[in-house]
Amino acid sequence: MAKITAAEVNKLRKTTGAGMMDCKNALVEADGDFDKAIEILRKKGQKVAAKRADRDSSEGAAIAKVDANNSNGVIISLNCETDFVAKNETFVTLANELADLALGFDNKDDFMNASYNGMTVSEKLTEQTGVIGEKIEIGSFEKLSAPFVGSYIHAGNKIATLVGLSAAVDGAAEAAKDVAMQAAAMNPVALNEEGVDQSVIDKEIEIAKDQLRQEGKPEAMLENIAKGKLKRFFKDNTLINQAFIKDNKQSVAQYVKSVDSSLEVTGFSRVALG
């Protein structure tokens, strides 16, 4: 049997993130063969992943990243089962490294097949499931491109947002961050009225009509009053029409135009956990 040194155990631990004893046992089982030991740890991860496939993984870390040109952004969520794991420094580091990698891909499938430290992202997640003993997976994958993209991550990595602006003007960085914070705090359903799904609009009109009937309003008046209530819904729930949280005397759209008269918000993405 091959003699397993502490240096070999430490090398395997750094490569895989597995615990010292798991690494030592894998190297013993592999008779000192490093690649075979990695495979043993992966198979352990696959077994744990199979057992925990039906577990809820609603905790984790939501991470937003923007490229050096501020023209592309990505949000991924690295999901796990418990808040204890979600707060672990190694877990958060992995989430950030994966988010950096995700910037180079346009969709989740390509990202999952991307190379990460000699294995695919998918294989890394399986391996980490074995290491941590919890279901680990990529939950959300959101991309956003615009002339200027800004981001915001709420404390604790529970909410991450991206915001696109129409131009990279002076003040764009601060404006994008402010609007990204707005999206995190106020959870808009869409960018503007046009972005609200028709089924949501129909439902809001029906709710408004039911309320008006209960108040005894005449049937002939319901449609017009309900449309007025719908305008209020758009004001409260679409990003550019919401009252700006730092100055509620102006809307988000008005705030952005105060930075530059031609500036507009072109899009946003929001991912929340827990």
Side-chain angles (χ1 to χ4, degrees):
M1 189 177 78
K3 187 177 186 299
I4 308 303
T5 66
E8 288 170 331
V9 173
N10 194 43
K11 181 184 175 185
L12 184 59
R13 185 188 67 79
K14 285 183 176 178
T15 301
T16 64
M20 295 293 277
M21 285 308 298
D22 285 337
C23 289
K24 184 177 179 182
N25 292 337
L27 281 164
V28 168
E29 187 179 336
D31 200 23
D33 187 315
F34 190 78
D35 291 336
K36 190 176 178 183
I38 290 176
E39 191 62 31
I40 288 166
L41 288 171
R42 279 189 198 167
K43 285 179 179 176
K44 181 191 173 189
Q46 289 166 357
K47 288 176 183 176
V48 175
K51 287 178 182 176
R52 305 189 78 82
D54 60 347
R55 295 295 184 105
D56 179 39
S57 59
S58 58
E59 295 292 341
I63 306 294
K65 296 280 184 176
V66 177
D67 66 12
N69 297 321
N70 283 97
S71 57
N72 293 287
V74 67
I75 303 174
I76 66 159
S77 66
L78 183 62
N79 292 24
C80 58
E81 296 176 32
T82 64
D83 192 47
F84 176 77
V85 168
K87 291 177 178 176
N88 179 276
E89 186 179 342
T90 302
F91 181 87
V92 175
T93 297
L94 176 62
N96 274 279
E97 289 176 356
L98 291 176
D100 284 330
L101 180 63
L103 265 173
F105 297 89
D106 292 328
N107 60 70
K108 184 176 176 179
D109 286 344
D110 287 348
F111 167 60
M112 293 297 286
N113 290 316
S115 177
Y116 174 87
N117 289 354
M119 62 186 85
T120 66
V121 170
S122 182
E123 288 169 343
K124 181 64 179 179
L125 298 180
T126 300
E127 176 200 85
Q128 289 301 296
T129 295
V131 169
I132 295 169
E134 286 192 10
K135 182 178 180 180
I136 308 295
E137 63 181 355
I138 298 295
S140 299
F141 180 98
E142 301 282 340
K143 288 296 294 279
L144 184 68
S145 297
F148 190 94
V149 178
S151 65
Y152 173 71
I153 303 174
H154 192 61
N157 302 314
K158 294 302 181 188
I159 304 173
T161 53
L162 295 170
V163 163
L165 300 178
S166 59
V169 296
D170 287 343
E174 185 179 356
K177 185 174 182 181
D178 282 342
V179 179
M181 289 175 68
Q182 172 94 21
M186 302 305 293
N187 192 17
V189 300
L191 175 65
N192 51 31
E193 297 94 327
E194 291 77 22
V196 180
D197 192 90
Q198 187 60 45
S199 64
V200 174
I201 294 172
D202 294 342
K203 184 180 178 182
E204 288 300 317
I205 289 175
E206 279 310 307
I207 290 171
K209 284 182 178 179
D210 286 342
Q211 290 173 341
L212 293 167
R213 286 188 188 102
Q214 290 170 25
E215 293 168 10
K217 294 287 192 294
E219 195 70 27
M221 296 174 61
L222 297 188
E223 190 71 30
N224 283 337
I225 300 176
K227 284 180 179 177
K229 285 182 175 287
L230 185 62
K231 285 182 181 178
R232 179 70 198 189
F233 172 81
F234 287 145
K235 185 176 186 299
D236 291 341
N237 294 282
T238 58
L239 180 59
I240 65 168
N241 296 308
Q242 285 178 336
F244 181 44
I245 53 175
K246 288 190 172 181
D247 176 9
N248 60 17
K249 291 183 174 65
Q250 59 181 339
S251 68
V252 169
Q254 288 168 335
Y255 160 66
V256 168
K257 288 205 176 297
S258 75
V259 175
D260 187 281
S261 60
S262 65
L263 198 61
E264 296 180 349
V265 183
T266 60
F268 79 98
S269 292
R270 181 183 189 273
V271 170
L273 289 167

